């Protein structure tokens, strides 16, 4: 069975933009399965906790 070490991967991408984290996670899953997933769908759910103020700032996306 293929595996991805999510705690290590998430910790290693903690300074990345969320889009970069998703790219890294997706790449890790594909690499773990040697580029051949058994299904045509993969589900990724992250509960993202960031600012305690409820405000966020982006360079290219929505600020809401």
């Amino acid at each position: 069975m293929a595996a991805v070490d999510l705690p290590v991967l998430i910790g290693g991408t903690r300074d990345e933009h969320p889009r970069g984290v998703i790219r890294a996670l997706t790449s890790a899953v594909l690499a773990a399965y040697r580029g051949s997933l058994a299904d045509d769908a993969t589900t990724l759910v992250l509960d993202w906790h960031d600012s305690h103020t409820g405000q966020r700032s982006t360079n290219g996306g929505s600020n809401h």
Side-chain angles (χ1 to χ4, degrees), residues 16-64:
E16 299 288 327
H17 186 279
R19 284 187 297 265
V21 175
I22 297 302
R23 283 187 198 108
L25 291 169
T26 301
S27 294
V29 169
L30 284 171
Y33 284 89
R34 296 185 180 127
S36 180
L37 298 176
D39 198 326
D40 63 350
T42 299
T43 301
L44 176 65
V45 178
L46 294 177
D47 190 3
W48 204 277
H49 296 274
D50 189 21
S51 171
H52 293 287
T53 66
Q55 300 295 315
R56 68 186 186 111
S57 176
T58 66
N59 291 326
S62 172
N63 284 329
H64 304 288

